Amino acid sequence: MANRAHTVDRPQDHLTRREGQAIAVHAQGLATPPPRRRVTMADLREVVDRLGCVQIDTISVISRSHETVAWSRLGPYDVDLWEQLYEPEHAITEYWAHAAAIIPMDDLPLYRPEMERFRDVLRDKYADQQPIRDVVLRRIREDGPMGSRHFDAPDGAPAQAWDWYGRKPEREALADLWSEGALVLRRRDSFHRIFDAYDRLVPDLWAGEIDRDARDLVLARKAMRALGITTIGWFIDYFRTGGRHHLPRARAKEVLSCLVAREEAIPVTVAGIDEPLWLDPARIETLGLLRDRRGWPTRTTLLSPFDNLTWNRKRTIQLWQFDYRLECYVPASKRIYGYYTLPILYRGRLVGRLDPSFDRKAKLLTIKALHWEDDVQPSEAMSRAVSRSIGELCTFLGGDPDRWVVNGDASGIVTLATTADVKPAHA
């Protein structure tokens, strides 16, 4: 008879909420501490491959979001490794995978249906913009990779505060041509996007007809691997452009049925979640270890507001009962937790959030506010673990691990120093 600790009943098995949380954390590479060695380019590439995509955002309160996502999994590392992955490696590029996101270069053809949709949507622009588009494409083909800064701004009034494309029509043309797949993002220079013709980087991008069934299965497997356990809602949300899902709900149900038939997805239930879920078979062993009281997450870290683990706000509520939203777009007087709060992940649980600010000149990290969840009573071990994680963040940002301070108690805020042994470090 098989060892019960390493098997899952079929067709359905019941998981506790904590088991579901642990599996999700394992799938995201957030369960165990990073290796005690220098982080390599291969480590960073593995993070992108495992996650399938890493969301890009312009806000840089502490570091760029994609840099923070990798730090949460790898610990302190040299962010210049990102530049090397773009070029000369050409291992990564960007596309509308989950909003604008870094993806493996090899995955770009998976998004051809979205590129074709952009072509249809933007066709009405072509009559007015075609001359500009032609100039942009010709210059890139003749002079090499370019970004918006390589084109002169027209004379006239300055751009308005909310003018997304500034005063350069070429900038809008670059963005459209990238969305349509005529251009590919080659690299970033000081976070400015540099584009190149697609055939120089992905010559087979537009070769032949795309096999939509095969493409959908590949995308589904990537989502399943990254999530570990999923509802249909979490599944379709993982790869999307704005509100558009790369696998629409009806199609996702068909693909999930196909994965179940192939034993590449296992129907399960999770306590407290009143809808069907599916488990990645690669996590059967993980579940067995959990039930054998081994393999429970030990990592404590801080998460970017755009981290793959928590970017689906409904999922964080359903699975962790953690209600999170980014408040940087909320008027200051209406913020509850802070401008740019980072969720605190402690051994597979989301136990709180903190609002950081980093003074790059003084190399000092200030925790402006720290909120534990209502049902969390921070122990000495938890406080020490979170303190270590803050120290790791300081090191990653170029400071010393003890160069951080916690602002004084405010109403409803418990400082990190919950015991005499755990002190916010001196400035």
Side-chain angles (χ1 to χ4, degrees), residues 157-164 166-167:
Q160 299 300 308
W162 292 102
D163 186 352
W164 181 261
R167 295 168 54 225

Side-chain angles (χ1 to χ4, degrees), residues 95-96 108-124 126 133 176-182 204-212 215-216 241 244 246:
Y95 196 66
W96 299 109
L108 192 60
L110 295 173
Y111 301 96
R112 260 187 55 181
E114 188 66 8
M115 296 172 187
E116 292 167 351
R117 187 188 72 82
F118 269 110
R119 286 185 176 184
D120 292 339
V121 169
L122 297 172
R123 184 172 289 117
D124 291 342
Y126 289 178
R133 293 160 59 91
D176 288 349
L177 290 164
W178 169 66
S179 294
E180 297 168 19
D204 296 333
L205 179 59
W206 292 101
E209 294 295 323
I210 189 168
D211 185 334
R212 292 294 293 268
R215 173 263 186 185
D216 290 354
T241 300
R244 286 183 53 84
H246 290 297

Side-chain angles (χ1 to χ4, degrees), residues 145-304:
M146 290 185 175
S148 175
R149 61 186 173 83
H150 294 100
F151 296 89
D152 295 330
D155 295 331
Q160 299 300 308
W162 292 102
D163 186 352
W164 181 261
Y165 294 105
R167 295 168 54 225
K168 297 180 182 180
E170 292 88 353
R171 183 179 179 187
E172 185 173 4
L174 285 166
D176 288 349
L177 290 164
W178 169 66
S179 294
E180 297 168 19
L183 296 178
V184 173
L185 188 135
R186 185 181 185 105
R187 66 178 183 272
R188 281 186 178 262
D189 287 345
S190 301
F191 209 62
H192 296 290
R193 298 187 296 179
I194 305 298
F195 301 95
D196 203 352
Y198 80 87
D199 48 317
R200 288 181 182 148
L201 294 170
V202 193
D204 296 333
L205 179 59
W206 292 101
E209 294 295 323
I210 189 168
D211 185 334
R212 292 294 293 268
D213 289 341
R215 173 263 186 185
D216 290 354
L217 278 173
V218 171
L219 210 58
R221 290 182 182 116
K222 287 179 174 290
M224 181 65 69
R225 180 194 181 202
L227 290 165
I229 189 168
T230 186
T231 67
I232 187 70
W234 308 346
F235 185 72
I236 63 175
D237 177 79
Y238 199 81
F239 292 111
R240 63 172 171 80
T241 300
R244 286 183 53 84
H245 305 113
H246 290 297
L247 288 175
R249 183 175 291 266
R251 178 56 180 155
K253 288 181 178 179
E254 294 174 356
V255 176
L256 273 171
S257 295
C258 182
L259 291 181
V260 171
R262 294 166 176 251
E263 297 189 337
E264 296 181 55
I266 300 171
V268 296
T269 61
V270 173
I273 300 179
D274 190 22
E275 58 180 294
L277 294 100
W278 292 265
L279 176 72
D280 178 6
R283 293 297 154 195
I284 293 176
E285 183 177 0
T286 304
L287 181 59
L289 290 172
L290 295 174
R291 291 177 173 176
D292 201 26
R293 299 186 179 182
R294 296 183 290 159
W296 285 93
T298 58
R299 177 86 168 125
T300 298
T301 192
L302 310 173
L303 303 177
S304 161

